[in-house]
Amino acid sequence: MNITIIGTGYVGLVTGTCLADIGNSVCCLDIDPAKIATLNSGGVPIHEPGLGALIQSNVEAGRLRFTTDVAEAVAFGDIQFIAVGTPPDEDGSADLQYVLAAARNIGRFISDFKVVVDKSTVPVGTADKVRAAIQAELDARGAPQGASFSVVSNPEFLKEGAAVDDFMRPDRIVLGVDATAEGQRALALMRQLYLPFNRNHERTRVMDVKSAEFTKYAANAMLATRISFMNELANLADQVGADIELVRQGIGSDPRIGYSFLYAGTGYGGSCFPKDVQALVRTAGEHGQRLRVLEAVEAVNHDQKQVVVNKVLARYGTNLTGRRFALWGLAFKPNTDDMRDAPSRVLIQALLRAGASLHAHDPVATAEARRVLALDFADAPDCLARIQFADKPLDALTGAEALIIMTEWKPYRSPNFTAMKAAMAAPVIFDGRNVYEPELVAAAGFQYHGIGRNSHAS
Ligand code: NAD
């Protein structure tokens, strides 16, 4: 099948590459010429394990290409995936300007039947707006003969850091279609497209468009709720002297609860949970309803991003001038270079503005961190000058009064504690991701501050 992907970011690039890899011909469109130039010269603009090799083999096989030419891209695909960003607007609702611009471009250039797929995470009712935007362009063109379309909702559930695997082995494929003849024609094409992913067992869930749009928000809202729930309990565990990690294992053994997404830490970040929780709360508001659970989830997460900052300030005082800390982990989670809403940014803001110096390490996100921090500190370049970046984790520790861990990257899990202690000015660890076993770290001579693990505080 011929497929067009509009928006070549984390979702669009993975979707396009994986669909090419199963034999489709894929044309990826983006409005960012730098991104397309990078891809056309063999580079990969994001860090996603396994993606680079897959892009290369599919480009070489002639199944995958990249362009900024809207007319060419829209003319190409029988199926047009809209995978552009839906960042939060000022009031928390999803900003649909990129989705609707993509829709208008489709309307400008289609000349036959197209399936238009909303892959971006969009509020309930967006498919209607996409349909109206395309139709308005068609009407402006005098309704050219043969040009028709159907809008399908096909939300994406991949996780950054495991995106290729998630796309290739999805838990479910949600398809929201309308009941018209064109909707059923679109459904037949979508079923055909996803057939290779259903060989082992049927993963497709067909539903109406609005339920499909809602499903994506409900999934992210549920996961965010688990995290905030556990973080709030972790803070209480710190007060009462319990160990939240033992509590997690104790409750996770109940199959109704399970172990996943119950790790206490410094709050959720990234490009999805924060904006999707906000957008769902906002959608409810537009319908005169409050989602009180999700309002609390968001408020708890906001405060949780300060939890390590508060521990550091409680230990060293609010003026950190002349103090030097090591920071391991910048990305919002391991295996990605994505810094969108990363909790590390909140910590860096607070500590640099309190006068501290930071020496940071991240296996892949340093370049992206430099880019976003330059924006975060546009008003305070003198503060920004006090953060340095190390190539190796151990290098960041030299002369540090404490190590702060903000991302649970694998290389941080079993470090050489003896070498670490020798490099540091003082053996103190603030573990924002509960990476270490407190007894083990204490036995290595460190003072340990985890999240919800004060029962071990030395
Ligand atoms: P992204 O910011 O990485 O990529 C979006 C891309 O779209 C950018 O390259 C941008 O230049 C391009 N773009 C914007 N307007 C365009 C237009 N009119 N035509 C062509 N290209 C255009 O975003 P992302 O992280 O891939 O997310 C895309 C959508 O998927 C969002 O709605 C997001 O919520 C959703 N989603 C993201 C993830 C994730 O893990 N990142 C997972 C599931 C769903």
Side-chain angles (χ1 to χ4, degrees):
M1 246 186 260
N2 287 354
I3 311 292
T4 294
I5 308 283
I6 304 175
T8 309
Y10 285 87
V11 168
L13 188 54
V14 170
T15 301
T17 306
C18 292
L19 290 177
D21 201 53
I22 56 165
N24 297 289
S25 292
V26 179
C27 175
C28 291
L29 170 74
D30 206 285
I31 47 168
D32 182 347
K35 200 170 264 191
I36 295 300
T38 301
L39 287 160
N40 279 331
S41 60
V44 185
I46 54 169
H47 176 85
E48 191 55 56
L51 185 60
L54 214 57
I55 292 174
Q56 194 188 345
S57 64
N58 283 285
V59 168
E60 282 168 9
R63 289 189 297 263
L64 180 62
R65 65 198 166 87
F66 306 100
T67 184
T68 54
D69 186 328
V70 177
E72 174 203 333
V74 172
F76 181 75
D78 305 311
I79 302 179
Q80 312 265 319
F81 279 92
I82 299 179
V84 300
T86 46
D89 226 333
E90 272 165 23
D91 63 1
S93 59
D95 180 353
L96 292 179
Q97 62 166 309
Y98 304 103
V99 170
L100 296 179
R104 285 193 295 274
N105 279 340
I106 294 172
R108 259 174 222 141
F109 293 106
I110 59 171
S111 55
D112 53 2
F113 178 74
K114 303 285 188 198
V115 179
V116 177
V117 183
D118 281 344
K119 187 69 141 160
S120 300
T121 303
V122 288
V124 178
T126 300
D128 294 338
K129 294 181 181 170
V130 167
R131 195 175 299 117
I134 299 173
Q135 192 59 52
E137 291 297 331
L138 282 179
D139 293 345
R141 289 168 57 201
Q145 227 191 348
S148 64
F149 66 96
S150 180
V151 180
V152 171
S153 169
N154 172 218
E156 182 50 58
F157 297 95
L158 63 76
K159 302 181 287 297
E160 284 177 24
V164 171
D165 256 17
D166 285 349
F167 194 94
M168 290 300 202
R169 275 180 282 279
D171 303 321
R172 73 296 213 190
I173 298 162
V174 170
L175 294 178
V177 294
D178 60 44
T180 61
E182 281 169 336
Q184 297 310 299
R185 185 176 170 191
L187 176 58
L189 277 169
M190 293 303 287
R191 280 195 185 280
Q192 193 186 329
L193 177 71
Y194 282 123
L195 206 56
F197 301 93
N198 284 311
R199 280 176 65 84
N200 181 266
H201 63 273
E202 181 63 48
R203 293 176 163 94
T204 310
R205 304 265 182 277
V206 179
M207 54 186 80
D208 63 274
V209 173
K210 286 185 174 163
S211 301
E213 291 171 333
F214 205 151
T215 298
K216 173 66 190 175
Y217 282 98
N220 277 358
M222 171 56 107
L223 295 172
T225 300
R226 285 172 72 97
I227 294 173
S228 276
F229 171 80
M230 216 52 191
N231 280 336
E232 201 164 40
L233 293 196
N235 297 338
L236 179 59
D238 267 345
Q239 298 295 325
V240 300
D243 180 344
I244 199 67
E245 185 48 25
L246 298 178
V247 175
R248 183 188 72 82
Q249 293 179 27
I251 63 172
S253 53
D254 182 335
R256 293 170 303 176
I257 297 174
Y259 294 101
S260 329
F261 269 82
L262 289 179
Y263 291 95
T266 57
Y268 58 78
S271 71
C272 293
F273 290 1
K275 80 171 172 61
D276 293 349
V277 168
Q278 269 181 42
L280 192 52
V281 167
R282 181 75 198 166
T283 299
E286 284 164 8
H287 289 82
Q289 190 186 332
R290 281 184 63 194
L291 294 180
R292 285 164 297 172
V293 172
L294 290 185
E295 284 171 10
V297 165
E298 200 186 350
V300 167
N301 194 59
H302 179 269
D303 291 352
Q304 196 67 14
K305 286 187 175 177
Q306 293 287 344
V307 82
V308 178
V309 176
N310 293 340
K311 283 176 193 272
V312 170
L313 298 183
R315 170 83 162 68
Y316 300 98
T318 50
N319 184 351
L320 300 177
T321 307
R323 295 192 183 273
R324 179 183 183 86
F325 299 102
L327 173 57
W328 281 3
L330 295 164
F332 87 92
K333 67 174 183 177
N335 298 322
T336 182
D337 59 350
D338 200 337
M339 290 291 297
R340 287 178 283 188
D341 262 320
S344 68
R345 289 168 74 173
V346 175
L347 177 105
I348 292 168
Q349 280 277 356
L351 298 196
L352 289 183
R353 287 182 196 270
S357 297
L358 295 176
H359 203 165
H361 174 268
D362 189 284
V364 302
T366 302
E368 183 61 6
R370 282 184 197 276
R371 190 185 70 78
V372 299
L373 290 174
L375 301 173
D376 291 353
F377 286 92
D379 65 325
D382 52 320
C383 285
L384 189 60
R386 279 187 271 103
I387 185 166
Q388 287 174 270
F389 299 92
D391 289 335
K392 295 185 183 145
L394 206 55
D395 293 348
L397 296 175
T398 310
E401 290 191 56
L403 164 64
I404 302 167
I405 299 180
M406 292 299 283
T407 318
E408 64 277 32
W409 282 96
K410 267 196 192 136
Y412 302 155
R413 291 198 184 160
S414 286
N416 180 338
F417 287 114
T418 309
M420 287 166 64
K421 199 172 164 199
M424 294 173 71
V428 180
I429 296 177
F430 293 90
D431 184 352
R433 296 294 175 186
N434 287 348
V435 174
Y436 299 129
E437 273 316 306
E439 282 85 5
L440 212 132
V441 185
F446 282 84
Q447 191 184 93
Y448 180 77
H449 304 270
I451 309 291
R453 313 198 80 181
N454 254 3
S455 53
H456 307 269
S458 37

